[in-house]
């Protein structure tokens, strides 16, 4: 009988002192991972950190102080050749997550567990691109998990989301 390999979530983060735009982001692999990282060798951290910066710029525009943001990428390997990367931006106790096209429930729950236990977040904002092919079904799936849709006016006032942001936002409270 084959022994099942424990899946892990790897976390890549930008140096908090560095601001963006980042031509060559400084990368550090956080040492307190759930288990040994199993990220494929061809994983392009720099390019993915650039996409994380773009997510942040698209979401907030110029509405937020760059010093208050911590950008992270959560990577979860689901199968030998399938990896899910979640771009995130954390501001105080609120974590904004860009939902990727190849999102899986398993990897998202692992991300939520990690965020609640290790990052001290009390609120999660899932950001789904409006132009995404399966946008409506993705929104329904998140609502089924307990997320509530945030109206654009409230997203701007309460969550500092730019009115030009190409995302539908859904919120979830850990408390």
């Amino acid at each position: 009988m084959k022994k099942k390999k424990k899946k892990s979530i790897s976390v890549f983060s930008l140096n908090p002192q560095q601001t963006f735009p980042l031509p060559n982001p400084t990368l550090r692999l956080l040492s307190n991972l759930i288990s040994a990282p199993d990220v494929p060798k061809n994983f392009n951290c720099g390019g993915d950190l650039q996409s994380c910066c773009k997510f942040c710029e698209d979401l907030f525009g110029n509405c937020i102080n760059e010093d208050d943001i911590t950008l992270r990428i959560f990577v979860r390997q689901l199968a030998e050749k399938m990896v899910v990367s979640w771009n995130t931006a954390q501001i105080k106790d609120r974590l904004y997550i860009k939902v990727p096209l190849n999102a899986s429930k398993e990897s998202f729950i692992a991300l939520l567990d990690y965020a609640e236990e290790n990052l001290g977040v009390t609120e999660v904002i899932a950001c789904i691109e409006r132009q995404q092919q399966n946008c409506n079904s993705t929104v329904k799936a998140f609502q089924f998990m307990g997320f509530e849709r945030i109206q654009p006016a409230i997203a701007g006032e309460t969550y500092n989301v730019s009115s030009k942001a190409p995302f539908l936002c859904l919120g979830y409270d850990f408390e």
Side-chain angles (χ1 to χ4, degrees), residues 21-49:
L22 300 168
N24 295 311
T26 302
L27 175 71
R28 62 184 169 97
L29 179 60
L30 300 180
S31 58
N32 57 348
L33 298 176
I34 295 170
S35 66
D38 57 356
V39 178
K41 290 183 171 115
N42 62 355
F43 181 68
N44 179 0
C45 302
D48 283 350
L49 285 170

Side-chain angles (χ1 to χ4, degrees), residues 58 161-167:
D58 289 347
V161 174
S162 169
S163 60
K164 296 178 183 176
F167 301 103

Side-chain angles (χ1 to χ4, degrees), residues 7-83:
K7 293 181 181 173
S8 67
I9 191 161
S10 301
V11 183
F12 298 92
S13 179
L14 293 179
N15 184 337
Q17 285 82 24
Q18 193 168 5
T19 58
F20 52 89
L22 300 168
N24 295 311
T26 302
L27 175 71
R28 62 184 169 97
L29 179 60
L30 300 180
S31 58
N32 57 348
L33 298 176
I34 295 170
S35 66
D38 57 356
V39 178
K41 290 183 171 115
N42 62 355
F43 181 68
N44 179 0
C45 302
D48 283 350
L49 285 170
Q50 293 285 339
S51 70
C52 196
C53 291
K54 179 157 178 24
F55 163 61
C56 190
E57 290 171 6
D58 289 347
L59 185 63
F60 301 116
N62 295 326
C63 300
I64 201 87
N65 182 356
E66 295 171 356
D67 296 333
D68 297 336
I69 300 174
T70 303
L71 300 177
R72 291 186 187 90
I73 298 177
F74 293 84
V75 179
R76 176 122 181 169
Q77 186 163 358
L78 299 177
E80 188 175 326
K81 294 186 179 185
M82 185 176 177
V83 175

Side-chain angles (χ1 to χ4, degrees), residues 58-128:
D58 289 347
L59 185 63
F60 301 116
N62 295 326
C63 300
I64 201 87
N65 182 356
E66 295 171 356
D67 296 333
D68 297 336
I69 300 174
T70 303
L71 300 177
R72 291 186 187 90
I73 298 177
F74 293 84
V75 179
R76 176 122 181 169
Q77 186 163 358
L78 299 177
E80 188 175 326
K81 294 186 179 185
M82 185 176 177
V83 175
V84 179
S85 298
W86 300 83
N87 291 327
T88 69
Q90 182 177 352
I91 302 173
K92 297 179 184 170
D93 61 349
R94 192 175 288 155
L95 185 66
Y96 298 83
I97 302 171
K98 181 180 180 188
V99 178
L101 284 172
N102 66 339
S104 77
K105 185 177 178 181
E106 176 189 329
S107 66
F108 186 69
I109 290 171
L111 169 75
L112 289 179
D113 288 342
Y114 183 88
E116 185 177 26
E117 293 172 11
N118 299 295
L119 302 180
V121 298
T122 59
E123 196 171 7
V124 173
I125 310 299
C127 305
I128 302 167

